């Protein structure tokens, strides 16, 4: 009950200008004085995350940020709302949040990872418009292959942020799947902006994926980078596993 009620209260508080998640916690803390410790913790977490969502929602729909952290949402989110695209953007964001909360030990079908990647790119297309061009090579996608969650989407995010967004004319992101014997090779290639990228921040995402490949596949999983003057490609190689071969215990 408090999970739902806390989320609702937090969302309302988060939408009010100047009241962010921390202020929401402070204002509603007296509600928890008579609760059991575990119930109080659930309620406070629900209020906090509800307030975070509420601040973004008011920024997107009303151009009124709930707190300072939500100001950036006004720049892209409110123009989407005026074009009637806010609902689609919020639904896509909700799907991405759900994917991020998956149990990392559970493998999922490659088709679901591809669907999530498509949804993320559609969300970015709402923001970037015709500047973002996407090409999928789906000829060799096994129907029954499984892999750890969020292997593809972080690479797409890097390609957009570091390759497409800095270029005034935009560019193309190419995603390819190639079966090589018992292995699957996934490539994400983006054009490089003539003036450079936003920076080298994508190293963290690549290092994280390398660590996860080593955890799940040991030496069978690899991540390689091909950095050329006009393009940047990330290549993941991993075994073609079926649902019978799940994640490590």
């Amino acid at each position: 009950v408090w999970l739902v009620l806390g989320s609702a209260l937090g969302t309302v508080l988060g939408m009010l200008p100047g009241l962010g998640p921390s202020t929401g916690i402070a204002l509603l803390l007296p509600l928890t004085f008579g609760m059991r410790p575990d119930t109080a913790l659930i309620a406070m977490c629900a209020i906090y995350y509800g307030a975070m969502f509420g601040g973004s929602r008011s920024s997107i729909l009303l151009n009124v940020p709930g707190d300072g952290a939500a100001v950036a949402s006004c720049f892209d989110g409110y123009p989407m709302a005026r074009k009637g695209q806010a609902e689609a953007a919020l639904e896509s964001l909700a799907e991405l949040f759900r994917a991020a909360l998956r149990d990392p030990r559970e493998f999922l079908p490659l088709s679901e990872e591809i669907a999530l990647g498509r949804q993320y790119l559609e969300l970015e297309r709402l923001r970037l418009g015709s500047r973002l061009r996407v090409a999928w090579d789906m000829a060799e996608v096994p129907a029954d292959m499984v892999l750890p969650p969020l292997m593809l989407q972080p690479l797409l995010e890097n390609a957009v942020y570091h390759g497409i967004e800095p270029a005034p004319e935009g560019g193309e992101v190419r995603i390819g799947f190639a079966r090589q014997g018992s292995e699957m090779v996934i490539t994400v290639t983006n054009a490089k902006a003539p003036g450079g990228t936003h920076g080298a921040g994508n190293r963290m995402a690549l290092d994280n994926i390398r660590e996860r490949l080593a955890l799940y596949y040991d030496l069978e999983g690899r991540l390689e980078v091909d950095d050329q003057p006009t393009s940047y490609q990330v290549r993941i190689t991993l075994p073609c596993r079926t649902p019978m071969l799940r994640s490590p215990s």
Side-chain angles (χ1 to χ4, degrees):
V1 174
W2 275 105
L3 184 62
V4 176
L5 184 58
S7 298
L9 289 173
T11 300
V12 172
L13 279 175
M15 294 180 69
L16 299 176
L19 298 181
S22 299
T23 306
I25 289 286
L27 289 174
L28 297 180
L29 186 62
L31 293 177
T32 66
F33 288 171
M35 296 181 184
R36 291 170 47 190
D38 55 346
T39 303
L41 182 59
I42 291 172
M44 288 294 97
C45 288
I47 291 169
Y48 185 84
Y49 289 113
M52 290 179 64
F53 178 77
S56 298
R57 196 177 188 90
S58 62
S59 298
I60 293 171
L61 299 179
L62 304 175
N63 202 28
V64 179
D67 63 350
V71 170
S73 300
C74 295
F75 301 140
D76 295 323
Y78 185 66
M80 289 182 189
R82 300 198 60 180
K83 295 177 184 177
Q85 298 172 329
E87 183 177 357
L90 288 171
E91 289 176 354
S92 296
L93 280 172
E95 287 297 324
L96 290 172
F97 283 135
R98 274 195 286 270
L101 294 174
R102 282 180 181 270
D103 186 344
R105 298 169 297 179
E106 288 294 325
F107 280 34
L108 75 162
L110 177 57
S111 58
E112 289 188 22
E113 186 76 357
I114 292 172
L116 181 66
R118 286 184 182 276
Q119 196 160 28
Y120 169 74
L121 290 174
E122 285 303 317
L123 178 62
E124 289 289 9
R125 201 191 298 274
L126 292 176
R127 185 169 66 93
L128 298 174
S130 59
R131 293 174 56 208
L132 174 60
R133 299 178 292 279
V134 181
W136 292 84
D137 181 0
M138 308 282 290
E140 299 186 49
V141 176
D144 59 347
M145 180 179 170
V146 295
L147 76 170
L150 293 177
M151 282 288 178
L152 178 61
Q153 187 274 331
L155 299 182
L156 299 177
E157 185 173 347
N158 279 336
V160 172
Y161 181 73
H162 293 283
I164 309 305
E165 191 175 305
E169 72 281 2
E172 183 179 69
V173 176
R174 299 190 303 276
I175 307 98
F177 301 86
R179 183 78 177 263
Q180 297 181 358
S182 61
E183 295 182 326
M184 168 60 64
V185 178
I186 303 173
T187 57
V188 176
T189 309
N190 61 268
K192 291 176 67 174
T197 68
H198 283 308
N202 63 339
R203 294 290 308 175
M204 183 178 295
L206 297 183
D207 290 344
N208 178 267
I209 293 178
R210 280 196 180 97
E211 291 175 2
R212 296 173 63 214
L213 286 170
L215 172 65
Y216 289 109
Y217 300 109
D218 197 18
L219 297 179
E220 294 181 287
R222 305 183 300 278
L223 185 148
E224 301 163 295
V225 173
D226 184 12
D227 190 357
Q228 299 294 328
T230 59
S231 67
Y232 189 89
Q233 182 182 86
V234 179
R235 181 169 54 254
I236 291 179
T237 304
L238 63 166
C240 291
R241 291 187 176 176
T242 64
M244 293 300 293
L245 295 172
R246 308 299 288 186
S247 58
S249 58

